[in-house]
Structures are given as C-alpha cells and as structure tokens.
C-alpha cells in the first residue's frame, strides 16, 4: 500500500463495500459483517477484504456467506466506482481485533 493513490483506493473500496453490504445486498446474514480494511494488489487485480463480526463464533459462516455474494458485490462496485478494473474480492477474517488491548492486560498484571 505504498502510494497515496493505493491508500485512497483501499479506503474507497472499504467504504463502498460496507455501504453496499448494508443497503444493497439482500442476504441478511452478511449485514453482520464489519469491514475493517482492504488491501489491493498494485495492479488492482485482487483485493483482500478484512472483516470481523459482532459474534466471533460466526466468522466462519459469515465468511462463506460473503464468498457467495462477492460476484454481485463486484458488479455493484463496478456501477459505483470510476475505476477501469474492479478487483476480485477475497474475504479474510481480521484476526487483529482478537488481540486483547494492552491496557487491559497491564491492569490484570497489577492486581
């Protein structure tokens, strides 16, 4: 994600995917997804979309549902974005939100 252009594209994809999942996709199961980030390849062929869920136990089922709607989502992104080529989407669970905050860990050690 070295350049300003790539950072801007990643943020725009994150914002649009979140909006489309909330408003345009009819599958109710995918509305529980929280899009935490997007990383596009330099040639804009592939994009890893990081997501999490309110219920961590539902991540695997949510990933399967997101994989089912990725074709429709890519079509809708093509209608909304002004990019020449819309990247292929790959949904990956975001494991960084699983880590316990540093403040909580240090509070437990003091007690």
């Amino acid at each position: 994600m070295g350049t300003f252009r790539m950072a801007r594209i990643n943020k725009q994809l994150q914002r649009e995917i979140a909006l489309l999942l909330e408003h345009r996709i009819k599958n109710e199961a995918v509305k529980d997804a929280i899009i935490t980030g997007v990383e596009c390849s330099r040639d804009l062929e592939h994009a890893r979309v990081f997501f999490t869920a309110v219920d961590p136990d539902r991540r695997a089922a949510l990933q399967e549902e997101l994989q089912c709607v990725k074709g429709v989502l890519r079509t809708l992104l093509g209608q909304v974005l002004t990019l020449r080529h819309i990247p292929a989407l790959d949904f990956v669970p975001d494991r960084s939100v699983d880590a316990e905050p540093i403040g909580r860990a240090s509070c437990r050690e003091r007690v």
Side-chain angles (χ1 to χ4, degrees):
M1 183 178 86
T3 65
F4 175 73
R5 179 176 184 263
M6 289 305 296
R8 187 176 43 125
I9 289 172
N10 288 339
K11 283 294 184 186
Q12 186 178 14
L13 279 171
Q14 179 182 354
R15 182 174 44 250
E16 294 298 333
I17 289 170
L19 286 172
L20 290 173
L21 285 176
E22 185 177 347
H23 297 293
R24 301 278 305 271
I25 301 294
K26 294 180 181 176
N27 188 344
E28 291 295 322
V30 298
K31 294 186 188 289
D32 294 338
I34 300 168
I35 305 300
T36 57
V38 175
E39 286 183 4
C40 280
S41 61
R42 289 179 56 124
D43 59 358
L44 296 178
E45 287 290 325
H46 302 283
R48 285 189 297 186
V49 181
F50 295 97
F51 73 95
T52 188
V54 177
D55 183 15
D57 299 330
R58 281 198 15 89
R59 278 196 201 130
L62 187 58
Q63 184 175 11
E64 291 176 14
E65 293 292 330
L66 287 169
Q67 293 294 343
C68 289
V69 299
K70 70 181 179 181
V72 175
L73 196 58
R74 188 174 180 194
T75 302
L76 292 172
L77 282 172
Q79 295 171 0
V80 174
L81 299 176
T82 58
L83 294 175
R84 181 176 292 203
H85 181 76
I86 304 299
L89 304 175
D90 185 31
F91 290 94
V92 180
D94 191 0
R95 301 289 181 204
S96 66
V97 296
D98 290 342
E100 186 175 359
I102 295 173
R104 287 189 190 162
S106 62
C107 288
R108 288 185 185 165
E109 293 172 2
R110 292 180 191 165
V111 174

